[in-house]
Amino acid sequence: MIYLDHAAATPVSQKALQVMTPYFAEEFFNPSAPYLPAKRVREVYELAKDDLAHVIGAKGVDLVITAGATESINLAFTVCQGKVLVLETEHAAVLEVAKQCSYELVKVDKNGLILIDDLRDKLSDEVELVSISLANNELGTIQPLVEIAEVIRRVRQERLRNNNNTPLYLHSDASQALNLLDLNVARLGVDLLTINAAKCGGPKGVGALYVAHGVKLRPISVGGGQERGLRSGTENVAGVVGFATAAQEAKAHLAGSRKKYQVMSRILRQELEKIGKDMNSTTDFVMPTPIFLGHPKHQLASFVPVCFPGVDAERLIYRLEQHGVLVSTGAACAANKGNKSHVLAAIGLSDVEIAGSLRISLGSANTIENVTEAASIIREEVEREYCRIHERGHHV
Amino acid sequence: MIYLDHAAATPVSQKALQVMTPYFAEEFFNPSAPYLPAKRVREVYELAKDDLAHVIGAKGVDLVITAGATESINLAFTVCQGKVLVLETEHAAVLEVAKQCSYELVKVDKNGLILIDDLRDKLSDEVELVSISLANNELGTIQPLVEIAEVIRRVRQERLRNNNNTPLYLHSDASQALNLLDLNVARLGVDLLTINAAKCGGPKGVGALYVAHGVKLRPISVGGGQERGLRSGTENVAGVVGFATAAQEAKAHLAGSRKKYQVMSRILRQELEKIGKDMNSTTDFVMPTPIFLGHPKHQLASFVPVCFPGVDAERLIYRLEQHGVLVSTGAACAANKGNKSHVLAAIGLSDVEIAGSLRISLGSANTIENVTEAASIIREEVEREYCRIHERGHHV
């Protein structure tokens, strides 16, 4: 089995699983209990939060632990009651929360990169929150967050000059990026940042929201008052310990991972580029050249989203699975419902192109060997699909 | 170490941990992904939900998986926008959510049992939700939910006759009860039921809300549309598998557990009752008799909440810990903030009595031997405290 869908889920790393395990049955105490073993668990929990925060250049007290990116995003949006701007290619979690507010979509170019001028145009006086994912979950396109933050800073200053007291915050969903980019909240200039354990070798059901000092949120769940009253409920100690370990591991190996994924990505791209070239001399028809999606430069190294025009990607996924290659068409939660990708539509793909697109995403389960093998399997299967389509065309 | 605080947290059972483990690093797939290994994970997840639901006499589709009891309670309260009635002894999670609504508190008697007449009196035409925990988290007092449901059913019928369309729902927080009572949502007559993995040998960070057919909730987190749109976010597969296994285990051993805890409870009570009796012949002062709290009959077998009038329970907890006995004064999240227990105040305890109260709660970590040992340690330490107080009184 060759897993090429790390954007959907990552296996928990050996190390993360190892450090988590004692907090299930041995050090199981409620971190708020009054005896020493529980206080030790509290310490472990707070230290893990510190460790996790350090990965993004923050402090433990700046983090609110949640049950995952979706909850973090929902919590982030409580910062405002006014208008929000979100990128048209955001994950469903951002889009659905935005729909509960007054909102407008900011456009992207054909590579999925934000159109900064569109952001500027739409940053009207009522806008209170801008939410732009750091890296898109289908394309891997990395947004120029520093530049976006600068635009926002200027608007803030302008508002100050005009005695407009409407606040303006910047939130970024960095779920896909923690694994591959060196994140620093100060450098990024964000007020709120969503991170997710399940996308970087940590366990499912754990996420965090970075909240800059002074930014006021409204809890979406109230109760015992944990997480400074912003997220009540007994702390998920094992989960947070696993998340912190996975995030630290990812950070420690950033440069190596990037290089590794660049090599793998090149193997995939070079092999897939042969489609419509090598075979054309022996076949009596021309196969379309694959279109690599996302920004050629500003893209997570692990992402190889690709369109095979005319192919039925759902069928291709099934065929690939027969050869042990696991890949998806896009966000699992969206693909699952049979919706066509709003991300691919936003970058201007036709319905046929969208229907022929795969999201290949590399990760810890990959080696040069299994990626090389997967590349040729994908190439063969795509070619086989084109031949099948061509033959069927002749029969009709 | 002898752990006597199972109401705060339970160790994850061996079996639950064993069945959870493969879903971290091996079967880590996103249950919404399109390939077979992911579909198998989806199946495992749905089957675990079914298993969990069966424990409370429901179906998997009736459950919304959450990050714990607090989130379940917050979600349950979205059923209404009108007035709510909650018991004055509810956990902070219920009380804090209630405070966000128009609410009134229903009174309890000195054993912590609901005053049904007070409920009847307060069930005015505007009330839309009644939330009564099945078993109190400090006293273990079990509420007569069937009787409460009957009161509510009558009010509903009356409203129907009066052409009053205001709905009326019954929610119960059964976090403490899953371990010890045979729960059946139909028999209990609830519309909404909160259960919690971390209190019954499952992992922290997982809970569920039973939602009766036709009861409409508003999601508190939106996004990818998981859990029938009521709770978005990638499913916590390992957590739910662990929860279901722990709940099934608890159910399978209900009768045995109850008998075991009854024996242990008797050992504790008999030993503690000797305080203020045996020693009084040798000491020159009378030690107060301990007061056992909660309902003498309608109480979870595992709960031995007890008041030692005049003793400083915080100090006692520290002393007991020196002897390896771990016990708390009440809800961990409340005790942690140094608040005096609103539960003990509600049953009419004086401030001195509240300050001298311990919550002893038995569970899987206990044996007849370690409870017997703990009982004599607690007795000795309480007696020592009384002597110390007496001596200090003489010195002053």
Side-chain angles (χ1 to χ4, degrees):
Chain A
M1 200 193 73
I2 307 172
Y3 183 69
L4 296 175
D5 198 19
H6 291 81
T10 54
V12 175
S13 82
Q14 284 298 333
K15 202 169 159 190
L17 187 54
Q18 199 186 324
V19 297
M20 286 170 70
T21 304
Y23 298 96
F24 289 116
E26 296 149 39
E27 308 294 319
F28 65 87
F29 307 99
N30 188 320
S32 299
Y35 28 80
L36 198 65
K39 284 178 181 162
R40 274 205 304 263
V41 170
R42 159 72 56 201
E43 245 177 64
V44 166
Y45 179 80
E46 300 297 344
L47 280 175
K49 273 184 75 173
D50 278 336
D51 288 345
L52 179 60
H54 291 162
V55 169
I56 57 166
K59 291 179 199 151
V61 292
D62 302 330
L63 291 189
V64 179
I65 299 299
T66 64
T70 296
E71 189 188 341
S72 294
I73 292 163
N74 277 264
L75 182 59
F77 272 63
T78 66
V79 78
C80 85
Q81 300 183 312
K83 192 172 171 180
V84 302
L85 296 183
V86 304
L87 214 54
E88 56 178 341
T89 52
E90 290 296 316
H91 186 276
V94 170
L95 291 176
E96 292 302 315
V97 197
K99 283 178 194 164
Q100 300 186 326
C101 317
S102 156
Y103 78 107
E104 218 172 337
L105 299 176
V106 177
K107 294 212 170 302
V108 297
D109 68 13
K110 67 180 189 9
N111 295 320
L113 211 63
I114 185 172
L115 292 172
I116 286 273
D117 283 337
D118 193 48
L119 172 66
R120 274 200 203 91
D121 290 349
K122 287 172 177 160
L123 258 171
S124 58
D125 279 353
E126 319 83 77
V127 175
E128 291 187 15
L129 173 65
V130 175
S131 186
I132 310 279
S133 62
L134 183 47
N136 182 269
N137 66 307
E138 295 191 33
L139 302 170
T141 297
I142 302 164
Q143 304 300 340
L145 223 57
V146 174
E147 197 182 334
I148 293 165
E150 185 52 34
V151 169
I152 282 172
R153 198 156 25 237
R154 282 202 200 132
V155 173
R156 275 187 197 138
Q157 286 169 353
E158 212 178 282
R159 286 187 186 180
L160 218 60
R161 276 197 304 274
N162 300 338
N163 289 320
N164 176 348
N165 290 324
T166 313
L168 180 59
Y169 301 103
L170 176 58
H171 167 250
S172 182
D173 170 11
S175 294
Q176 295 289 348
L178 195 58
N179 236 350
L180 286 135
L181 300 180
D182 187 11
L183 303 188
N184 182 293
V185 286
R187 205 172 55 230
L188 290 172
V190 292
D191 303 296
L192 298 153
L193 189 84
T194 286
I195 53 176
N196 191 358
K199 307 288 192 195
C200 72
K204 290 178 183 61
V206 198
L209 180 67
Y210 159 77
V211 186
H213 192 72
V215 174
K216 293 266 175 296
L217 302 179
R218 194 169 36 82
I220 49 175
S221 264
V222 296
Q226 289 89 344
E227 303 294 313
R228 288 173 296 131
L230 283 171
R231 209 273 189 168
S232 292
T234 304
E235 294 86 349
N236 182 353
V237 182
V240 171
V241 165
F243 188 4
T245 303
Q248 283 183 309
E249 263 187 295
K251 176 111 174 179
H253 299 112
L254 269 189
S257 301
R258 211 171 319 166
K259 215 168 278 175
K260 186 176 103 173
Y261 298 139
Q262 276 164 354
V263 174
M264 292 176 182
S265 169
R266 206 172 309 129
I267 291 170
L268 275 161
R269 287 167 197 264
Q270 283 174 352
E271 183 70 15
L272 298 180
E273 267 168 357
K274 293 182 192 160
I275 296 171
K277 286 185 182 147
D278 274 24
M279 264 184 80
N280 289 342
S281 51
T282 59
T283 54
D284 59 344
F285 68 97
V286 180
M287 286 185 192
T289 320
I291 309 164
F292 292 103
L293 308 173
H295 198 282
K297 271 194 177 160
H298 305 299
Q299 186 175 39
L300 293 179
S302 58
F303 272 67
V304 189
V306 55
C307 166
F308 306 108
V311 162
D312 176 354
E314 306 263 355
R315 210 188 113 92
L316 180 60
I317 282 176
Y318 175 77
R319 296 281 315 159
L320 291 173
E321 196 187 320
Q322 306 307 306
H323 296 276
V325 175
L326 305 184
V327 65
S328 72
T329 52
C333 53
N336 183 259
K337 286 181 225 128
N339 295 343
K340 104 180 173 186
S341 163
H342 68 284
V343 175
L344 302 186
I347 60 169
L349 259 55
S350 69
D351 282 0
V352 168
E353 286 167 336
I354 293 173
S357 295
L358 286 191
R359 174 180 70 173
I360 299 173
S361 49
L362 304 162
S364 60
N366 297 127
T367 60
I368 301 284
E369 289 69 32
N370 72 19
V371 168
T372 307
E373 193 187 333
S376 72
I377 292 171
I378 298 171
R379 179 188 160 198
E380 279 163 33
E381 284 306 316
V382 172
E383 287 173 346
R384 200 185 306 267
E385 282 301 295
Y386 279 132
C387 290
R388 199 182 62 89
I389 294 163
H390 179 73
E391 271 168 40
R392 214 175 43 180
H394 273 267
H395 281 289
V396 172
Chain B
M1 201 193 73
I2 307 171
Y3 183 69
L4 296 175
D5 198 19
H6 291 80
T10 54
V12 175
S13 81
Q14 284 298 334
K15 200 169 162 192
L17 186 54
Q18 199 184 325
V19 297
M20 286 170 70
T21 304
Y23 298 96
F24 289 116
E26 296 150 39
E27 308 294 319
F28 65 87
F29 307 99
N30 187 319
S32 299
Y35 27 81
L36 197 65
K39 283 178 183 162
R40 272 204 305 261
V41 170
R42 158 71 57 201
E43 245 177 65
V44 166
Y45 179 80
E46 300 298 343
L47 280 175
K49 274 185 74 173
D50 278 335
D51 288 345
L52 179 59
H54 291 163
V55 169
I56 57 166
K59 291 179 197 150
V61 291
D62 302 329
L63 292 189
V64 179
I65 299 299
T66 65
T70 296
E71 189 188 341
S72 294
I73 293 163
N74 277 263
L75 181 59
F77 271 63
T78 66
V79 79
C80 86
Q81 299 183 316
K83 191 169 171 182
V84 303
L85 296 183
V86 304
L87 215 55
E88 58 179 338
T89 51
E90 291 295 316
H91 185 276
V94 170
L95 292 175
E96 291 303 315
V97 197
K99 283 178 193 164
Q100 299 186 326
C101 317
S102 157
Y103 78 105
E104 216 171 338
L105 299 176
V106 177
K107 295 211 170 302
V108 297
D109 68 12
K110 67 180 190 9
N111 295 321
L113 211 63
I114 186 172
L115 293 172
I116 287 272
D117 283 338
D118 193 48
L119 171 67
R120 273 200 203 92
D121 289 348
K122 286 171 177 161
L123 259 171
S124 59
D125 279 352
E126 319 83 77
V127 174
E128 292 186 15
L129 173 66
V130 175
S131 186
I132 310 280
S133 62
L134 183 47
N136 182 269
N137 66 306
E138 294 190 34
L139 301 171
T141 297
I142 302 164
Q143 303 300 341
L145 223 56
V146 174
E147 196 182 338
I148 293 165
E150 185 51 35
V151 170
I152 283 173
R153 199 159 20 238
R154 281 199 201 136
V155 173
R156 274 185 198 139
Q157 286 170 352
E158 210 178 284
R159 287 188 185 179
L160 218 60
R161 275 197 303 274
N162 300 338
N163 290 319
N164 176 348
N165 290 323
T166 313
L168 180 58
Y169 301 104
L170 175 59
H171 167 250
S172 182
D173 170 11
S175 294
Q176 294 289 348
L178 195 58
N179 237 350
L180 286 136
L181 300 180
D182 188 10
L183 303 188
N184 181 294
V185 286
R187 205 173 54 230
L188 290 173
V190 292
D191 303 296
L192 297 153
L193 189 85
T194 286
I195 52 176
N196 191 359
K199 307 288 191 195
C200 71
K204 290 179 183 62
V206 197
L209 179 67
Y210 159 77
V211 186
H213 192 71
V215 174
K216 293 267 173 296
L217 302 179
R218 196 169 35 81
I220 50 175
S221 263
V222 296
Q226 290 89 345
E227 304 294 312
R228 288 173 296 131
L230 283 171
R231 209 274 188 167
S232 291
T234 303
E235 295 86 347
N236 181 354
V237 182
V240 170
V241 166
F243 188 5
T245 303
Q248 283 182 308
E249 262 186 295
K251 176 111 175 180
H253 299 112
L254 270 187
S257 301
R258 210 169 323 164
K259 214 168 279 177
K260 185 177 104 174
Y261 298 139
Q262 276 165 353
V263 173
M264 293 178 182
S265 169
R266 206 172 309 130
I267 292 170
L268 275 161
R269 288 168 197 264
Q270 283 174 352
E271 183 71 16
L272 297 181
E273 268 168 357
K274 293 183 193 158
I275 296 170
K277 286 188 183 147
D278 273 25
M279 265 185 77
N280 289 342
S281 50
T282 59
T283 54
D284 59 344
F285 67 99
V286 179
M287 288 185 191
T289 320
I291 309 165
F292 292 102
L293 309 173
H295 198 282
K297 270 193 178 161
H298 306 300
Q299 188 175 37
L300 293 180
S302 58
F303 272 66
V304 189
V306 56
C307 165
F308 305 109
V311 162
D312 175 355
E314 306 263 353
R315 211 188 113 91
L316 179 60
I317 282 176
Y318 175 78
R319 296 282 315 159
L320 290 174
E321 196 187 321
Q322 306 309 306
H323 297 276
V325 175
L326 305 184
V327 65
S328 72
T329 53
C333 53
N336 182 260
K337 286 181 227 128
N339 295 344
K340 102 179 175 185
S341 163
H342 68 283
V343 175
L344 302 187
I347 59 168
L349 260 56
S350 70
D351 282 359
V352 168
E353 287 167 334
I354 294 174
S357 295
L358 286 191
R359 174 181 70 173
I360 300 173
S361 50
L362 304 162
S364 60
N366 296 127
T367 59
I368 300 285
E369 289 69 33
N370 73 20
V371 167
T372 307
E373 192 187 335
S376 73
I377 292 170
I378 298 172
R379 178 189 160 196
E380 277 164 32
E381 284 305 317
V382 172
E383 287 174 345
R384 199 185 307 266
E385 281 302 296
Y386 278 132
C387 290
R388 199 182 63 87
I389 294 163
H390 180 72
E391 271 168 39
R392 212 174 46 180
H394 274 266
H395 281 287
V396 171

